[in-house]
Amino acid sequence: MSAAYTLYAKPGFAATTIERLCTEARISNRAFYECFGGREELLRALHERCVEETLAAVAKALHDAPGSLNDRINAGISAYVAFATADWRRARIMHLEVRRSGDVLTLARQRAIAAFAQLVEAAWADYPAPTPVSRRLVALGVIGALQELLIEWVLAEEQPPVDELVAAAVHIFNRSFTTVP
C-alpha cells in the first residue's frame, strides 16, 4: 500500500506496473497477488482508504463546529482542504488519478462523492434553502467546484496557497447555500 501510495500519485496509476510496485515494496509478484487481484484492486483499496480518512476528518470538523451555517461551511471546507493537501499524494490520488484511471474507479468515485454529498446535505439540513433547487444537486455542484480547486493545487506550477483555496471554496459554498438578497 505504501509503495502504491507514492507510485500511483507520481508517476501515476497508468505508468505504474506491478513489477515496479513489487520492486518498490520489496516483495515478490506472487506476494502481491496473494493480497490483491491486480493493480486496479490495489488502487481501489488505496482510494477507499483516502476517502474514509478524509470523510472522518470532515465529519469531526462538522461535529465540532459552532452552530451557524457559515461556521459549519468554514469548518468542513477547512478540514477537507487541510487533510487533502497535508500529503500531496493523497490530493493527487483523490482528485487527479481517480479521473485518469478510467473505469477502474468510476463506482468508487461515485460512492465517495455520494458520501461527501450526504455530509454536505446533513450539515445544511437545519437551514433554509436559498432556492427551490434540489439540495442534493447543489451539494454535488459545490463538491465538484472544490475538487476542481484541488486539481488546480495539484497541477499548478505555483500552487495557490491553501488558505486561498479555502477562501474560494467557502465563497462558492456560501453563495450556494445562503439566501442572497
Short mmCIF file of all heavy atoms in Angstrom, two decimals, residues 74-97:
data_model
loop_
_atom_site.label_atom_id
_atom_site.label_comp_id
_atom_site.label_asym_id
_atom_site.label_seq_id
_atom_site.Cartn_x
_atom_site.Cartn_y
_atom_site.Cartn_z
N ASN A 74 -17.19 26.79 6.90
CA ASN A 74 -15.76 27.04 7.10
C ASN A 74 -15.05 25.83 7.70
O ASN A 74 -13.96 25.46 7.24
CB ASN A 74 -15.55 28.26 8.02
CG ASN A 74 -15.67 29.56 7.27
OD1 ASN A 74 -15.01 29.77 6.27
ND2 ASN A 74 -16.54 30.44 7.75
N ALA A 75 -15.65 25.24 8.70
CA ALA A 75 -15.03 24.08 9.37
C ALA A 75 -14.89 22.89 8.42
O ALA A 75 -13.83 22.26 8.34
CB ALA A 75 -15.84 23.69 10.60
N GLY A 76 -15.95 22.58 7.70
CA GLY A 76 -15.92 21.42 6.80
C GLY A 76 -14.93 21.60 5.66
O GLY A 76 -14.14 20.70 5.36
N ILE A 77 -14.96 22.76 5.03
CA ILE A 77 -14.05 23.01 3.92
C ILE A 77 -12.61 23.07 4.40
O ILE A 77 -11.71 22.49 3.78
CB ILE A 77 -14.43 24.30 3.18
CG1 ILE A 77 -15.73 24.09 2.43
CG2 ILE A 77 -13.32 24.73 2.21
CD1 ILE A 77 -16.32 25.34 1.84
N SER A 78 -12.38 23.76 5.50
CA SER A 78 -11.02 23.85 6.03
C SER A 78 -10.47 22.46 6.34
O SER A 78 -9.31 22.16 6.03
CB SER A 78 -10.99 24.71 7.29
OG SER A 78 -11.30 26.05 6.96
N ALA A 79 -11.29 21.60 6.94
CA ALA A 79 -10.85 20.24 7.27
C ALA A 79 -10.56 19.45 5.99
O ALA A 79 -9.54 18.76 5.90
CB ALA A 79 -11.91 19.53 8.10
N TYR A 80 -11.44 19.56 5.00
CA TYR A 80 -11.25 18.83 3.76
C TYR A 80 -9.96 19.25 3.06
O TYR A 80 -9.12 18.42 2.70
CB TYR A 80 -12.44 19.03 2.82
CG TYR A 80 -12.37 18.16 1.59
CD1 TYR A 80 -12.95 16.91 1.58
CD2 TYR A 80 -11.69 18.58 0.45
CE1 TYR A 80 -12.87 16.09 0.46
CE2 TYR A 80 -11.60 17.78 -0.67
CZ TYR A 80 -12.19 16.54 -0.66
OH TYR A 80 -12.09 15.73 -1.77
N VAL A 81 -9.81 20.55 2.87
CA VAL A 81 -8.64 21.06 2.15
C VAL A 81 -7.36 20.78 2.94
O VAL A 81 -6.36 20.34 2.36
CB VAL A 81 -8.79 22.56 1.83
CG1 VAL A 81 -7.50 23.13 1.25
CG2 VAL A 81 -9.95 22.77 0.87
N ALA A 82 -7.39 20.99 4.23
CA ALA A 82 -6.20 20.74 5.05
C ALA A 82 -5.80 19.27 4.98
O ALA A 82 -4.62 18.95 4.82
CB ALA A 82 -6.44 21.16 6.50
N PHE A 83 -6.77 18.39 5.08
CA PHE A 83 -6.46 16.96 5.07
C PHE A 83 -5.98 16.52 3.68
O PHE A 83 -5.02 15.76 3.57
CB PHE A 83 -7.67 16.14 5.50
CG PHE A 83 -7.32 14.74 5.89
CD1 PHE A 83 -6.74 14.47 7.12
CD2 PHE A 83 -7.56 13.69 5.03
CE1 PHE A 83 -6.38 13.17 7.47
CE2 PHE A 83 -7.22 12.38 5.37
CZ PHE A 83 -6.63 12.13 6.60
N ALA A 84 -6.64 17.02 2.64
CA ALA A 84 -6.25 16.63 1.27
C ALA A 84 -4.86 17.14 0.91
O ALA A 84 -4.09 16.45 0.25
CB ALA A 84 -7.28 17.13 0.26
N THR A 85 -4.53 18.34 1.35
CA THR A 85 -3.24 18.94 0.96
C THR A 85 -2.11 18.63 1.94
O THR A 85 -0.96 18.95 1.65
CB THR A 85 -3.37 20.47 0.81
OG1 THR A 85 -3.80 21.03 2.05
CG2 THR A 85 -4.33 20.83 -0.31
N ALA A 86 -2.42 18.01 3.07
CA ALA A 86 -1.38 17.66 4.03
C ALA A 86 -0.39 16.67 3.43
O ALA A 86 0.78 16.62 3.83
CB ALA A 86 -2.00 17.08 5.30
N ASP A 87 -0.84 15.88 2.47
CA ASP A 87 0.02 14.93 1.78
C ASP A 87 -0.32 15.01 0.30
O ASP A 87 -1.43 14.64 -0.11
CB ASP A 87 -0.20 13.52 2.32
CG ASP A 87 0.79 12.51 1.78
OD1 ASP A 87 1.26 12.65 0.62
OD2 ASP A 87 1.11 11.55 2.50
N TRP A 88 0.61 15.52 -0.50
CA TRP A 88 0.37 15.71 -1.94
C TRP A 88 -0.08 14.43 -2.62
O TRP A 88 -0.85 14.46 -3.58
CB TRP A 88 1.61 16.28 -2.63
CG TRP A 88 2.78 15.35 -2.63
CD1 TRP A 88 3.74 15.24 -1.68
CD2 TRP A 88 3.09 14.36 -3.62
NE1 TRP A 88 4.64 14.25 -2.01
CE2 TRP A 88 4.26 13.69 -3.20
CE3 TRP A 88 2.50 13.97 -4.82
CZ2 TRP A 88 4.85 12.66 -3.93
CZ3 TRP A 88 3.09 12.94 -5.55
CH2 TRP A 88 4.25 12.31 -5.10
N ARG A 89 0.37 13.28 -2.10
CA ARG A 89 -0.02 12.01 -2.72
C ARG A 89 -1.52 11.78 -2.57
O ARG A 89 -2.19 11.33 -3.50
CB ARG A 89 0.77 10.86 -2.10
CG ARG A 89 2.28 10.98 -2.33
CD ARG A 89 3.06 9.96 -1.55
NE ARG A 89 2.84 10.17 -0.12
CZ ARG A 89 3.37 9.41 0.83
NH1 ARG A 89 4.13 8.38 0.52
NH2 ARG A 89 3.13 9.66 2.10
N ARG A 90 -2.05 12.08 -1.39
CA ARG A 90 -3.49 11.92 -1.16
C ARG A 90 -4.27 12.83 -2.11
O ARG A 90 -5.24 12.41 -2.72
CB ARG A 90 -3.82 12.26 0.29
CG ARG A 90 -5.29 12.08 0.63
CD ARG A 90 -5.64 12.50 2.05
NE ARG A 90 -4.84 11.82 3.04
CZ ARG A 90 -4.05 12.46 3.93
NH1 ARG A 90 -3.97 13.76 3.95
NH2 ARG A 90 -3.36 11.78 4.80
N ALA A 91 -3.84 14.07 -2.23
CA ALA A 91 -4.52 15.01 -3.12
C ALA A 91 -4.50 14.52 -4.56
O ALA A 91 -5.51 14.59 -5.27
CB ALA A 91 -3.88 16.39 -3.00
N ARG A 92 -3.37 14.01 -5.01
CA ARG A 92 -3.27 13.52 -6.40
C ARG A 92 -4.15 12.30 -6.62
O ARG A 92 -4.83 12.20 -7.66
CB ARG A 92 -1.82 13.18 -6.76
CG ARG A 92 -0.97 14.38 -7.08
CD ARG A 92 0.37 13.97 -7.65
NE ARG A 92 0.24 13.48 -9.00
CZ ARG A 92 0.39 14.21 -10.11
NH1 ARG A 92 0.67 15.50 -10.00
NH2 ARG A 92 0.27 13.68 -11.30
N ILE A 93 -4.13 11.37 -5.69
CA ILE A 93 -4.91 10.14 -5.87
C ILE A 93 -6.40 10.45 -5.85
O ILE A 93 -7.16 9.99 -6.70
CB ILE A 93 -4.53 9.09 -4.80
CG1 ILE A 93 -3.13 8.54 -5.11
CG2 ILE A 93 -5.57 7.96 -4.74
CD1 ILE A 93 -2.51 7.75 -4.00
N MET A 94 -6.84 11.28 -4.89
CA MET A 94 -8.27 11.55 -4.74
C MET A 94 -8.84 12.48 -5.81
O MET A 94 -10.03 12.41 -6.10
CB MET A 94 -8.54 12.16 -3.36
CG MET A 94 -8.43 11.16 -2.25
SD MET A 94 -8.83 11.90 -0.65
CE MET A 94 -10.55 12.35 -0.89
N HIS A 95 -7.99 13.34 -6.38
CA HIS A 95 -8.55 14.34 -7.29
C HIS A 95 -8.05 14.25 -8.73
O HIS A 95 -8.70 14.78 -9.62
CB HIS A 95 -8.30 15.75 -6.73
CG HIS A 95 -8.98 15.92 -5.43
ND1 HIS A 95 -8.33 15.75 -4.22
CD2 HIS A 95 -10.26 16.18 -5.13
CE1 HIS A 95 -9.20 15.92 -3.24
NE2 HIS A 95 -10.38 16.19 -3.76
N LEU A 96 -6.93 13.59 -8.95
CA LEU A 96 -6.40 13.51 -10.30
C LEU A 96 -6.39 12.07 -10.81
O LEU A 96 -6.98 11.77 -11.84
CB LEU A 96 -4.99 14.11 -10.33
CG LEU A 96 -4.39 14.35 -11.69
CD1 LEU A 96 -5.23 15.30 -12.51
CD2 LEU A 96 -2.98 14.89 -11.54
N GLU A 97 -5.73 11.20 -10.08
CA GLU A 97 -5.62 9.80 -10.54
C GLU A 97 -6.98 9.11 -10.57
O GLU A 97 -7.19 8.22 -11.38
CB GLU A 97 -4.63 9.02 -9.69
CG GLU A 97 -3.20 9.46 -9.88
CD GLU A 97 -2.72 9.42 -11.33
OE1 GLU A 97 -2.98 8.42 -12.04
OE2 GLU A 97 -2.07 10.39 -11.75
#
